[in-house]
Amino acid sequence: VFPNPNPERDYEIKIHSPEFTCLCPVTGQPDFAEITIRYIPEAQCIELKSYKLYLWSFRNEGTFHEAVTNEILNDIVEAINPREATVIGKFNVRGGLYTTVTATHTAPGRK
């Protein structure tokens, strides 16, 4: 993380990662997804190289789409305590179905 250069203002940061991979916990087959995060920072922002390496850490992890999307959101909230944050996991077709999972956090006291 690094200090928010404009903490007095609400502004949105969007990070799109088109090459996310993890493993299906049932079959062990790779799952491919696009992960997008949108957040309004409080005191700190996410450093991009660290975030990229964090996402790579899931490559050999067996996890359900819903679980990994919420885990990413939880880790972002823990790391930077944003005013608001949303993680969207858009998973590629598996068994003829696409899955999109959206998880949202709003800091206490915000509408």
Side-chain angles (χ1 to χ4, degrees):
V1 300
F2 64 92
N4 179 356
N6 295 95
E8 72 285 352
R9 175 181 305 130
D10 277 359
Y11 64 98
E12 182 180 84
I13 297 172
K14 180 178 178 181
I15 304 170
H16 181 73
S17 306
E19 297 178 349
F20 177 82
T21 57
C22 60
L23 299 176
C24 173
V26 176
T27 66
Q29 295 292 317
D31 279 327
F32 299 93
E34 296 180 19
I35 301 291
T36 302
I37 64 170
R38 297 189 322 252
Y39 70 98
I40 299 173
E42 181 64 58
Q44 297 180 313
C45 297
I46 297 170
E47 193 274 323
L48 293 178
K49 183 175 181 182
S50 297
Y51 177 67
K52 176 180 74 172
L53 295 174
Y54 165 77
L55 289 181
W56 285 1
S57 74
F58 289 97
R59 285 186 171 178
N60 294 316
E61 298 243 352
T63 184
F64 290 104
H65 302 162
E66 299 81 359
V68 72
T69 304
N70 278 281
E71 181 177 351
I72 293 168
L73 178 62
N74 291 343
D75 290 345
I76 289 169
V77 170
E78 183 178 327
I80 65 167
N81 192 29
R83 294 174 187 166
E84 296 178 13
T86 298
V87 176
I88 301 166
K90 184 178 177 185
F91 291 83
N92 287 356
V93 68
R94 166 79 69 168
L97 301 170
Y98 289 94
T99 303
T100 300
V101 180
T102 302
T104 303
H105 163 81
T106 301
R110 290 184 62 93
K111 293 182 181 184

